[in-house]
Amino acid sequence: MKFFVDTAEIDQIKELNDLGMVDGVTTNPSLIAKSGRDILEVTKEICDMVSGPVSAEVVALEADDMLAEGRKLAKIADNIAVKVPLTWAGLKTCKTLSDEGTMVNVTLCFSANQALLAAKAGATFISPFIGRLDDINLDGLELIEDIRTIYDNYGFETNILAASIRSANHMSDCAKIGADVATAPPNVIKAMANHVLTDKGLAAFMADARKAGIKIV
Ligand code: E4P
């Protein structure tokens, strides 16, 4: 499973990218607003740092306006994936941009039917938001499973990009189901390294090393 990092914070992307943990980046209008940066500038900076796909989201609601925004975003770099919402206008925009050879990430997906439409419209990525489904007591992981089944049944090449990831467990669950990509905030990717038995075992090893006076360099 590929790891995308879900942030527009340059320092945090760099830290994970230097460790080889970043296969791509996703942003959205809320993350851009939080960064306080200009969307075109910060997206360009991310594209220069990361070689994989970098999702940048349109803010228009009508198909013609979305298309104009998508074409402008696509000019930033070759690794841009234009992010469009899963609305009828978004699907139209997805089809046109995909036909033009631009990667498209269809976002705000909450049902298997929506994912089926995005694949038919030629999406490169479909982003089911699992955390936001869990927030309203629906099963986000079940949606990932359903989309995996449907795409495999018909050989759709659209990548399942599990989004709205809230915990380290979400990451391993998505990997078990067979999501192609999971996008997570930096703190969730870092939390994947944590285990209470690692901390406990390390404390015991360090105490023994101190007692025995072990020195290596
Ligand atoms: C994905 O592309 C979205 O930017 C993101 O995962 C949304 O996550 P949230 O539900 O935590 O805002």
Side-chain angles (χ1 to χ4, degrees):
M1 185 174 74
K2 290 188 172 158
F3 283 17
F4 287 4
V5 60
D6 197 29
T7 184
E9 303 299 329
I10 292 289
D11 292 351
Q12 297 184 14
I13 297 169
K14 187 176 179 338
E15 185 189 355
L16 289 168
N17 193 44
D18 288 349
L19 287 177
M21 299 291 176
V22 177
D23 299 305
V25 174
T26 50
T27 64
N28 62 37
S30 306
L31 293 171
I32 296 289
K34 195 170 158 206
S35 77
R37 302 278 312 275
D38 172 77
I39 182 169
L40 300 176
E41 277 175 26
V42 74
T43 306
K44 170 90 177 84
E45 239 177 274
I46 298 169
C47 288
D48 287 346
M49 185 194 311
V50 172
S51 54
V54 175
S55 291
E57 187 161 342
V58 300
V59 290
L61 292 175
E62 302 300 328
D64 287 350
D65 301 330
M66 269 189 207
L67 188 57
E69 289 183 356
R71 285 179 175 148
K72 184 163 181 180
L73 291 169
K75 283 200 186 109
I76 295 174
D78 289 344
N79 55 336
I80 282 286
V82 174
K83 212 170 174 192
V84 298
L86 212 155
T87 58
W88 207 248
L91 291 169
K92 274 190 190 172
T93 308
C94 171
K95 175 76 175 112
T96 306
L97 288 173
S98 299
D99 286 348
E100 290 173 1
T102 296
M103 289 188 283
V104 180
N105 176 355
V106 180
T107 189
L108 290 169
C109 169
F110 295 96
S111 77
N113 274 333
Q114 289 181 316
L116 192 47
L117 289 173
K120 300 286 275 184
T124 315
F125 300 102
I126 181 70
S127 290
F129 275 35
I130 65 179
R132 292 192 194 187
L133 282 169
D134 290 353
D135 288 347
I136 57 162
N137 295 321
L138 294 174
D139 191 338
L141 291 168
E142 192 175 289
L143 174 60
I144 304 288
E145 269 170 356
D146 289 348
I147 300 172
R148 181 75 283 157
T149 302
I150 291 169
Y151 281 8
D152 289 350
N153 281 350
Y154 298 99
F156 285 119
E157 288 177 3
T158 299
N159 291 278
I160 302 173
L161 196 176
S164 188
I165 298 264
R166 300 279 163 75
S167 68
N169 281 350
H170 269 160
M171 293 296 275
S172 46
D173 287 337
C174 286
K176 282 190 268 185
I177 292 166
D180 300 290
V181 190
T183 188
N187 64 317
V188 171
I189 294 176
K190 287 185 172 179
M192 292 169 74
N194 298 342
H195 199 288
V196 65
L197 291 180
T198 304
D199 297 342
K200 194 176 164 197
L202 186 60
F205 287 157
M206 291 306 101
D208 288 342
R210 264 194 309 276
K211 257 188 267 164
I214 298 174
K215 280 207 168 61
I216 298 174
V217 288

